[in-house]
């Protein structure tokens, strides 16, 4: 079988950094060691001066998602293509159960959205809005279909929010079926009262989105979520954690040995609440939930990544165009579709501001952006690893490449970047997905529809 040999690179995994060649045969890694000889017919790539890392895994994206009366601007084709340019080779997106319907229907709907479009492999979490009469059995059925994680909302009353009884029942079910509950932790009831007060006082600008969702509303919900998981005797994963207050809750629980896990996102590490005060309604570009926080929260989150109080960096990629979508909330911040773009820039930002800036090591970079999400979400060691037998999802990473992030050149289907003009050093040069080069030197070589649905295993890393 024709093989590909990546020569002279430095292989970086979560465990080690070693000079080694990587031999790819078909869709998988065949061998990793120094001095692998090339057989005739092998394609040989020189990776001198490069890192060879496992493809990035973004465990939190929203492609083609209906939200706030509109739909996120990237579909499974444009979003996964943009992800590939940035070195991400797997995503886990979210299917949404419509109230009063079966979760299986939502799974089928989302599989259809992805089929024929996805350029990289994709898994799905299920957003549970209603347990109804059969919801707990439905959860078991979905676990058998490879949906090994469920997201529940403690925010957005009357839309996505579920009550504590529902949360506790779902958590308790995962104690039996081995799935993982991902929690959007904000106290939605308190936030709704604060929103109503703000609007009554004529406070309609984008910044009030942040001011009506204080860090304590996040911390309280994180505390409650972890407490309920602890009572149910099951792990829990907090999504898009944004504040020092919330982080303290996770750290306190982990220090006691409670299996609580959390992710944060580049926007919470690099941007602060001032962005929402940009003139000409441009603050709307930074309206997402939880909101951006005052600057003093940022170093605490970096510290959390370094010390494993936070385990994953994902994007919460949920793009809405400024010109015709964000504008829906021109006179009322509650009508601004919540979400921001980021699927393409996660590795660049975490490498530059994480590794180059000395906030964490190269191995930790791989762990946070690939290996741990693979473990926690039931994809390891097929994904997130460079070892014989693992999928050949690899990135040849050029640590010297300088790149300026801009909506003028990015591949996401959205008319702005949250990181416009940011200059980063370190970028994906060649991206392999299951042995196939899908990006090389800024050119896309993949095809829509080549991405496979990832059937994920229950009892992943959160259970170990
Ligand atoms: O504002 C956000 N985060 N939009 C996406 C939905 C969610 O809560 O993750
Ligand atoms: Zn959320
Ligand atoms: Zn999200």
């Amino acid at each position: 079988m024709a093989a590909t040999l990546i020569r002279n690179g430095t292989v970086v995994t979560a465990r080690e950094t070693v000079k080694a060649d990587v031999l790819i045969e078909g869709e998988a890694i065949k061998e990793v060691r120094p001095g692998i000889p090339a057989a005739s017919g092998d394609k040989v790539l020189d990776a001198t001066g490069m890192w060879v890392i496992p493809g990035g895994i973004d465990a939190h994206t929203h492609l083609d998602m209906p939200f706030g009366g509109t739909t996120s601007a990237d579909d499974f084709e444009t979003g996964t293509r943009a992800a590939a340019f940035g070195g991400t080779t797997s995503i886990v997106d979210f299917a949404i159960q419509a109230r009063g319907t079966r979760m299986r229907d939502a799974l089928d709907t989302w599989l259809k959205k992805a089929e024929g479009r996805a350029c990289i492999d994709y898994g799905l979490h299920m957003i549970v809005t209603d347990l109804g009469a059969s919801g707990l059995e439905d959860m078991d059925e979905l676990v058998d279909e490879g949906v090994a994680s469920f997201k529940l909302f403690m925010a957005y009353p009357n839309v996505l929010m579920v009550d504590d009884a529902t949360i506790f029942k779902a958590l308790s079910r995962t104690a039996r079926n081995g799935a993982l509950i991902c929690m959007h932790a904000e106290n939605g009831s308190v936030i709704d009262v604060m929103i109503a007060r703000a609007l009554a006082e004529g406070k309609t600008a984008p910044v009030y989105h942040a001011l009506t969702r204080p860090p304590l509303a996040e911390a309280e919900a994180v505390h409650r979520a972890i407490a309920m998981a602890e009572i149910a005797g099951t792990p829990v994963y907090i999504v898009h954690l944004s504040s020092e207050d919330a982080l303290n809750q996770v750290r306190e629980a982990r220090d006691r040995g409670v299996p609580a896990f959390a992710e944060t996102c580049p926007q919470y590490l690099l941007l602060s609440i001032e962005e929402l005060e940009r003139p000409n309604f441009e603050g709307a570009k930074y309206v997402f939930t939880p909101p951006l926080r005052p600057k003093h929260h940022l170093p605490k989150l970096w510290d959390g990544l370094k010390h494993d109080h936070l385990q994953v960096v994902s994007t919460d990629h949920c793009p809405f165009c400024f010109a015709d979508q964000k504008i829906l909330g021109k006179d009322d911040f509650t009508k601004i579709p919540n979400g921001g773009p980021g699927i393409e820039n996660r590795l660049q930002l975490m490498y530059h501001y994480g590794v180059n800036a000395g906030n964490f090591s190269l191995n930790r970079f791989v762990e946070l952006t690939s290996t741990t999400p693979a473990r926690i979400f039931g994809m390891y060691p097929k994904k997130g690893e460079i070892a014989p037998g693992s999928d050949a999802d690899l990135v040849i990473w050029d640590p010297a490449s300088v790149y300026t992030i801009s909506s003028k050149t990015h591949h996401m289907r959205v008319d702005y970047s949250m990181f416009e003009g940011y200059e980063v050093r370190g970028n994906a040069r060649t991206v392999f997905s299951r042995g196939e080069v899908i990006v090389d030197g800024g050119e896309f070589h993949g095809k829509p529809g080549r991405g496979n649905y990832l059937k994920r295993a229950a009892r992943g890393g959160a259970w170990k």
Side-chain angles (χ1 to χ4, degrees):
M1 187 188 287
T4 302
L5 181 61
I6 304 173
R7 261 198 177 149
N8 305 322
T10 299
V11 171
V12 182
T13 65
R15 283 183 318 280
E16 57 182 2
T17 304
V18 284
K19 282 242 168 228
D21 301 337
V22 181
L23 183 66
I24 300 169
E25 208 174 80
E27 297 196 344
I29 295 168
K30 171 98 171 142
E31 218 182 335
V32 185
R33 68 173 168 90
I36 302 176
S40 77
D42 283 359
K43 184 174 160 192
V44 179
L45 294 181
D46 182 45
T48 302
M50 306 284 150
W51 308 126
V52 181
I53 59 176
I57 298 176
D58 191 341
H60 189 150
T61 66
H62 300 280
L63 302 175
D64 198 358
M65 184 184 84
F67 195 69
T70 184
T71 301
S72 60
D74 270 316
D75 62 19
F76 275 82
E77 179 176 337
T78 61
T80 56
R81 191 168 166 272
F85 272 103
T88 288
T89 53
S90 300
I91 58 166
V92 190
D93 206 88
F94 292 83
I96 309 179
Q97 178 203 22
R99 285 223 164 98
T101 69
R102 305 293 292 267
M103 293 177 208
R104 176 76 233 191
D105 299 338
L107 176 61
D108 291 340
T109 301
W110 256 263
L111 287 173
K112 258 197 215 102
K113 285 175 189 263
E115 203 185 302
R117 292 197 178 87
C119 305
I120 58 173
D121 294 348
Y122 56 95
L124 291 167
H125 312 278
M126 177 62 60
I127 292 177
V128 177
T129 56
D130 174 12
L131 279 181
S134 59
L136 296 173
E137 290 81 26
D138 285 3
M139 286 177 73
D140 296 348
E141 183 194 340
L142 287 199
V143 171
D144 292 340
E145 295 291 334
V147 179
S149 42
F150 297 83
K151 182 175 178 186
L152 300 177
F153 280 80
M154 301 170 93
Y156 302 123
N158 305 317
V159 186
L160 294 166
M161 184 168 133
V162 287
D163 61 16
D164 286 354
T166 301
I167 293 170
F168 185 63
K169 283 181 200 164
L171 281 162
S172 303
R173 194 67 172 201
T174 66
R176 286 166 52 180
N177 66 23
L180 181 64
I181 298 293
C182 301
M183 202 67 84
H184 179 126
E186 287 183 299
N187 187 319
S189 306
V190 167
I191 287 168
D192 255 22
V193 173
M194 292 187 73
I195 289 173
R197 280 185 196 153
L199 291 179
E201 290 166 16
K203 296 171 174 168
T204 59
V207 72
Y208 291 104
H209 171 76
L211 296 175
T212 54
R213 311 182 89 90
L216 273 180
E218 185 183 23
E220 183 281 325
V222 169
H223 179 88
R224 190 160 28 107
I226 294 174
M228 285 189 276
E230 205 177 341
I231 297 168
T234 198
V236 66
Y237 180 92
I238 309 296
V239 292
H240 47 45
L241 186 143
S242 69
S243 66
E244 177 188 6
D245 312 63
L247 176 63
N248 288 342
Q249 298 300 322
V250 176
R251 188 185 41 233
E252 185 275 334
R254 288 177 64 83
D255 284 350
R256 287 189 295 110
V258 173
F261 301 83
E263 64 175 23
T264 190
C265 312
Q267 53 271 32
Y268 300 120
L269 293 158
L270 297 168
L271 305 173
S272 57
I273 190 169
E274 289 77 19
E275 304 288 357
L276 283 101
E277 288 175 314
R278 287 183 181 228
N280 305 319
F281 191 60
E282 293 217 8
K285 295 177 176 175
Y286 301 88
V287 166
F288 39 78
T289 53
L292 292 175
R293 304 303 187 184
K295 275 206 172 74
H296 67 89
H297 291 260
L298 279 57
K300 305 292 181 188
L301 297 182
W302 282 108
D303 202 54
L305 291 174
K306 186 171 173 179
H307 295 107
D308 203 38
H309 308 312
L310 296 167
Q311 292 73 42
V312 172
V313 177
S314 59
T315 60
D316 195 9
H317 177 76
C318 189
F320 296 104
C321 288
F322 180 66
D324 59 347
Q325 294 184 295
K326 290 286 186 181
I327 209 77
L328 295 170
K330 185 97 182 78
D331 303 315
D332 176 352
F333 70 89
T334 65
K335 298 197 167 58
I336 301 169
N338 286 197
I343 201 167
E344 187 167 349
N345 306 120
R346 183 179 61 121
L347 296 190
Q348 296 156 353
L349 292 167
M350 287 305 97
Y351 185 83
H352 186 76
Y353 293 99
V355 180
N356 290 345
N359 278 309
F360 46 68
S361 72
L362 195 50
N363 307 94
R364 182 68 177 154
F365 163 71
V366 169
E367 190 165 52
L368 289 165
T369 58
S370 179
T371 309
T372 301
R375 283 186 196 278
I376 287 185
F377 292 106
M379 295 176 270
Y380 187 86
K382 201 172 153 67
K383 306 291 189 190
E385 185 55 280
I386 302 183
S390 292
D391 279 359
D393 287 5
L394 298 166
V395 179
I396 300 181
W397 185 266
D398 182 350
S401 166
V402 174
Y403 176 73
T404 303
I405 296 173
S406 173
S407 63
K408 294 190 187 76
T409 49
H410 73 200
H411 302 88
M412 299 178 285
R413 193 164 61 186
V414 61
D415 58 0
Y416 74 96
S417 169
M418 294 199 287
F419 304 100
E420 186 69 37
Y422 279 46
E423 191 180 270
V424 289
R425 186 162 43 81
N427 203 358
R429 190 189 78 178
T430 309
V431 181
F432 294 82
S433 165
R434 281 180 285 101
E436 189 183 333
V437 172
I438 56 169
V439 170
D440 189 37
E443 296 289 322
F444 189 67
H445 298 278
K447 276 200 181 57
R450 63 165 302 287
N452 286 343
Y453 170 62
L454 289 166
K455 267 193 148 191
R456 297 176 295 113
R459 292 189 197 281
W463 291 83
K464 306 273 162 18

